[in-house]
């Protein structure tokens, strides 16, 4: 973010560059406004103030160099430096709104889809002969975690999504060097010693025939001799040094945290209230937790410790906000807490648990979250203008997910309630939803552009596009489209298929598949013409917004914001907008017919050949490759020569998460690698819920074993297997078990 801000200010000047960043292309406002907590459902009214002035004057020329070095090193180490396409869905429906009269929860966390899956299924039985109360739990866990992470204990069922809170601050430090090593930082004019921890790295010598033949790797440009810790930064490290300037990181995860205590207490929770209270110990990795219990309750509460910054607590911003590089010499520190509460991990003041977002048993009877802004705090594009009840800026994050998934979840729930109630089957159907919410917003602009192009007074260039028969056919297909994204091919896995068995697509599915391909190709071409090219024209082609923010910028331009607050004209006028919209469509069709896409479409110019499943594919990759990856493991095959992976429905921002970069423009650019690491739906019943679950593969990583990839067919067609927490049934159903007894 800081690199982009500096680049924008350098190209356009401080004022226009800042406006380009915050108002035009890097907005906090999401694409879709779809909160978890509606206005009026919070415990009190929201107080706002005007946006504080921002200043980057403390940054020196070394900042960009230091940031570039840190990003380069992170990329080399495989650390993500851009927003990922991962996320999660969770929603709850009360008994009053459920067909059965019982509360329900649906949960599908989205993580990397590898082989074997990230989660594995596990049941836990604690017998009555133990010192603890009897337990019968079922769900999923991470290898090594001593509990159920997502699942049910019979009384309470739960799931969660990531809540992208800002708990990491990067500071520009003024350093004192001795012998080339940073031995101190400057804070309020005084020097504070760093801690230098010597590091020794050893590596095996492959290929010499000697096992475990390790040698010390000498320090070099890529192998540091030491880690340099800045104690003030929650014992965080310096991540780059450039002369007398360095960058340090302060991060809540650098303190010891107590998530195992949360899971222990959650295991024994008898109702939603007890489950929410346990969240006080979920210190790091902020989540949106949702619960349904057999007493008839539903509930939602966010978790994770959010540090309070001293400048924000005085309702000002000193220098730049926390989502940029901050001045490390003082004025914007985390506020020290000399006596933290027993359930608090970091030694700094945090947002009180009572001020964390939450909702229990709302009158409307349901709550949903898909990583989007829970309350709409950023819908006005300002994450810094909401005040805490006792004073201070209530800052959570500069931006959440784009809102597309939750917009669809909300729409599906509201549609079901309009017909009467939400059924257990409808909960599963919503998890399988593959309609593109962004298309519902943007396709009308495409159809309107064609209408304008066919108007007798249209400019010549626009009129020529409007008379193009292929453009006319493409727009007709988009106009008739229901925004769904089936594969459209016999080899493709769709939610309409059953229990992993493939079925031939209907003509309606084929038509929707073609429309999905045309739109998805158009989206990337439109982003280039309308967002990226105007930036490149000002020398900013290397600093585009990320995909989600680019989509928000595109929506605003198409809706009429032709010239940005920065003064950059993204389109000249309405005719230029329509021309670029249709030119993007022409470019998309040319791309589909190009040699680059020949493995998918064979160079065809017949739009009916553009089936979405030829592009939208997935490989469940294993680090070891070969038969450990799927395909070729578990009996699955690549779609075809030059088309690796399994074809499946879905696409950008759909509920059944299978997203790709919205700028995708290559044959394999529409593949995806993250999505539901587990699907779970539970309906509360006394002592044991009615529940179903599936994981994307199998329990085992052994390709020759029976539990390798054995659930993948069910997962690909959005089907499930049953779940039981009835005492005794878990053991009778178990294929394998481990028994733990107290030591003598």
């Amino acid at each position: 973010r800081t690199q982009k801000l500096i680049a924008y200010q350098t190209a356009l000047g401080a004022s226009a560059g800042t406006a380009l960043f915050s108002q035009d292309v890097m907005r906090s406002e999401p694409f879709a406004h779809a909160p978890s907590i509606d206005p009026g459902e919070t415990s009190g009214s929201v107080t706002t103030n005007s946006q504080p002035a921002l200043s980057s004057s403390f940054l020196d020329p070394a900042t960009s160099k230091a940031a570039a070095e840190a990003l380069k090193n992170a990329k080399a180490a495989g650390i993500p430096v851009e927003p990922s396409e991962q996320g999660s869905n969770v929603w709850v429906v009360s008994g009053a709104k459920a067909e059965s009269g019982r509360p329900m929860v649906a949960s599908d966390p989205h993580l990397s889809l590898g082989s074997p899956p990230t989660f594995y299924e596990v049941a836990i039985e604690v017998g009555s002969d133990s010192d603890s109360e009897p337990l019968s739990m079922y769900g999923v866990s991470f290898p090594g975690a001593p509990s159920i992470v997502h699942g049910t204990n019979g009384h309470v069922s739960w799931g969660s999504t990531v809540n992208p809170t800002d708990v990491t601050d990067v500071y520009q430090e003024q350093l004192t060097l001795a012998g080339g090593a940073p031995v101190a930082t400057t804070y309020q004019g005084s020097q504070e010693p760093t801690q230098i921890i010597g590091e020794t790295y050893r590596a095996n010598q492959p290929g010499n025939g000697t096992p475990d033949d390790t040698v010390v790797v000498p320090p070099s440009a890529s192998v540091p001799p030491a880690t340099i810790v800045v104690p003030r930064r929650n014992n965080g490290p310096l991540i780059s040094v450039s002369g007398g300037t360095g960058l340090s990181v302060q991060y809540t995860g650098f303190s010891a945290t107590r998530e195992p205590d949360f899971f222990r207490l959650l295991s024994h929770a008898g109702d939603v209230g007890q489950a929410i209270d346990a969240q006080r110990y979920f210190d790091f990795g902020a989540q949106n937790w949702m619960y349904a219990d057999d007493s008839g309750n539903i509930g939602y509460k966010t978790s994770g410790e959010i540090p309070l910054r001293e400048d924000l607590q005085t309702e000002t911003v000193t220098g730049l906000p926390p989502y940029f590089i901050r001045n490390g010499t003082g004025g914007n520190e985390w506020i020290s807490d000399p006596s933290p509460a027993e359930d608090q991990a970091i030694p700094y003041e945090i947002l009180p648990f009572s001020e964390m977002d939450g909702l229990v048993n709302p009158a409307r009877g349901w709550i949903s979250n898909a990583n989007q802004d829970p309350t709409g705090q950023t819908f006005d594009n300002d994450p810094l203008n909401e005040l805490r009840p006792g004073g201070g800026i209530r800052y959570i994050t500069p931006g959440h997910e784009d809102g597309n998934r939750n917009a669809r979840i909300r729409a599906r729930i509201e549609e079901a309630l309009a017909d009467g109630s939400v059924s257990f089957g409808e909960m599963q159907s919503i998890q399988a939803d593959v309609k593109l919410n962004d298309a519902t917003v943007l396709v009308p602009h495409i159809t309107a552009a064609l209408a304008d192009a066919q108007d007798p007074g249209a400019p010549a260039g626009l009129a020529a596009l409007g008379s193009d028969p292929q453009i006319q056919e493409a727009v007709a297909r988009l106009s008739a489209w229901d925004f769904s994204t089936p594969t459209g091919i016999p080899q493709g896995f769709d939610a309409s298929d059953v229990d992993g068995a493939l079925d031939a697509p209907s003509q309606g599915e084929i038509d929707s598949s073609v429309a999905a391909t045309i739109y998805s190709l158009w989206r990337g071409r439109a982003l280039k013409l309308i967002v990226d090219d105007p930036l490149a024209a000002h020398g900013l082609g290397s600093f585009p917004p990320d995909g989600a923010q680019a989509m928000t910028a595109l929506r605003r331009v198409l809706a009429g914001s032709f010239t940005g607050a920065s003064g950059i004209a993204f389109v000249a006028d309405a005719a230029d907008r329509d021309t670029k919209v249709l030119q993007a469509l022409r470019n998309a069709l040319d791309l589909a017919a190009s040699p680059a896409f020949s493995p998918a479409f064979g160079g065809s110019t017949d739009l009916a050949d553009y089936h979405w499943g030829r592009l939208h594919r997935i490989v469940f990759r294993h680090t070891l490759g070969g038969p450990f990856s799927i395909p070729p493991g578990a009996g699955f095959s690549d779609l075809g020569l030059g088309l690796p992976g399994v074809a499946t429905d879905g696409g950008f921002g759909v509920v059944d998460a299978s997203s790709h970069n919205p700028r995708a423009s290559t044959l394999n650019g529409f593949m995806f690698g993250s999505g539901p690491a587990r699907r779970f739906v539970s309906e509360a019943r006394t002592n044991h819920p009615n529940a179903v679950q599936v994981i994307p593969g199998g329990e085992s990583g052994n390709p020759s074993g029976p539990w390798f990839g054995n659930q993948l067919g069910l997962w690909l067609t959005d089907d499930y297997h049953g779940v039981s927490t009835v005492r005794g049934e878990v053991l009778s159903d178990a294929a394998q078990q481990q028994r733990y007894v107290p030591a003598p």
Side-chain angles (χ1 to χ4, degrees), residues 174-326:
Q174 299 303 313
L175 304 175
T176 299
L177 305 180
V183 296
T185 61
T186 299
Y187 174 69
Q188 291 186 346
S190 299
Q191 292 188 347
E192 296 185 342
T194 61
Q195 182 181 5
I196 300 177
I197 304 171
E199 306 282 9
T200 300
Y201 298 89
R202 294 177 173 86
N204 203 351
Q205 305 304 295
N208 66 2
T210 303
D212 301 322
D213 183 20
T214 59
V215 299
V216 173
V217 180
S220 67
S222 59
V223 180
T227 295
I228 303 171
V229 171
V230 182
R232 170 172 293 280
R233 306 289 170 228
N234 198 23
N235 294 310
L238 282 172
I239 59 172
S240 72
V241 175
S242 181
T245 299
L247 298 181
S248 66
V249 176
Q250 187 160 1
Y251 174 53
T252 59
F254 290 151
S255 295
T257 56
R258 295 178 59 177
E259 290 75 32
D261 279 331
F262 161 70
F263 288 115
R264 176 179 56 82
L265 293 170
L266 181 58
S267 298
H268 294 273
D271 56 42
V272 164
Q274 293 176 3
I276 289 176
D277 189 63
Q279 287 182 206
R280 297 173 185 274
Y281 294 97
F282 199 95
D283 301 309
F284 172 76
Q287 300 282 300
N288 298 284
W289 295 93
M290 290 197 191
Y291 310 94
D293 69 31
D294 59 1
S295 296
N297 301 296
I298 60 172
Y300 161 55
K301 186 72 174 179
T302 59
S303 68
E305 296 185 356
I306 301 175
L308 300 181
R309 286 86 168 176
E310 60 182 355
D311 55 333
L312 302 191
Q313 273 302 101
T314 62
E315 301 178 12
T316 61
V317 175
T318 300
L320 289 172
Y323 43 93
F324 295 101
I325 294 174
R326 309 210 81 189

Side-chain angles (χ1 to χ4, degrees), residues 125-130 132-136 153 155 267-268 727:
E125 286 267 9
V126 180
S128 57
D129 57 342
S130 73
S132 300
E133 65 179 275
L135 285 174
S136 184
N153 65 8
H155 296 294
S267 298
H268 294 273
R727 184 163 295 279

Side-chain angles (χ1 to χ4, degrees), residues 318-395:
T318 300
L320 289 172
Y323 43 93
F324 295 101
I325 294 174
R326 309 210 81 189
N327 187 349
T329 62
N332 47 26
E333 298 296 310
W334 292 10
I335 303 172
S336 179
D337 188 345
S339 55
E342 180 272 337
D343 58 7
Q344 183 175 324
I346 64 175
Y348 304 92
E349 291 187 16
I350 61 174
L351 189 71
F353 192 69
S354 60
E355 294 181 36
M356 303 285 283
D357 294 324
L359 194 61
V360 175
N361 296 330
R364 62 183 157 122
W366 59 274
I367 319 166
S368 64
N369 183 274
N371 312 105
Q372 88 300 327
D373 189 333
T375 62
Q377 182 177 354
T378 59
F379 290 179
D380 64 354
N381 193 45
D382 188 349
L384 294 169
N385 68 346
E386 182 178 312
L387 301 183
R388 298 180 55 211
I393 295 173
R394 184 181 185 270
Y395 169 66

Side-chain angles (χ1 to χ4, degrees), residues 442-454 475 577-578 581-582:
L442 300 185
V443 164
H445 291 290
I446 303 175
T447 58
L450 180 61
D452 291 343
Q454 294 176 332
V475 174
R577 173 197 61 189
D578 293 340
V581 166
L582 294 185

Side-chain angles (χ1 to χ4, degrees), residues 423-606:
S423 69
F424 189 72
E426 185 72 9
M427 297 283 279
Q428 298 171 57
S429 175
I430 296 172
Q431 284 190 331
D433 190 276
V434 289
K435 288 192 175 183
L436 298 176
N437 185 70
D438 69 302
T440 68
V441 176
L442 300 185
V443 164
H445 291 290
I446 303 175
T447 58
L450 180 61
D452 291 343
Q454 294 176 332
D455 186 278
L462 179 58
L465 289 167
S467 64
D468 184 327
Q470 278 200 320
I471 287 180
Q472 292 174 2
E473 180 187 348
V475 174
R477 287 180 175 274
L478 293 175
S479 299
W481 182 33
D482 66 355
F483 308 112
S484 65
T485 54
T487 63
I489 58 176
Q491 310 96 314
F493 290 86
D494 294 287
S496 58
D497 299 327
V498 179
D499 291 344
L502 295 176
D503 198 3
S506 67
Q507 187 59 51
E509 288 177 316
I510 293 172
D511 291 342
S512 291
S513 166
V514 171
T517 300
I518 294 170
Y519 175 78
S520 297
L521 288 167
W522 170 85
R523 182 200 290 119
R525 302 301 83 207
L527 287 171
K528 180 182 185 302
L529 288 177
I530 296 173
V531 178
D532 296 347
D533 284 356
L535 291 178
H538 287 79
L540 296 171
S542 298
F543 301 96
D546 66 49
Q549 289 168 315
M551 287 295 291
T552 298
L554 176 63
R555 185 205 67 193
R556 286 173 52 81
V557 173
L558 295 186
S561 297
F562 301 157
T563 299
S566 60
I568 289 181
F570 292 93
V571 298
D573 50 31
D576 185 42
R577 173 197 61 189
D578 293 340
T579 300
K580 288 184 176 179
V581 166
L582 294 185
Q583 185 61 57
L585 188 55
R586 179 65 265 168
N587 294 349
L589 299 178
D590 291 342
L591 192 62
S594 71
F597 279 70
S598 181
F601 306 133
S604 174
T605 57
D606 184 349

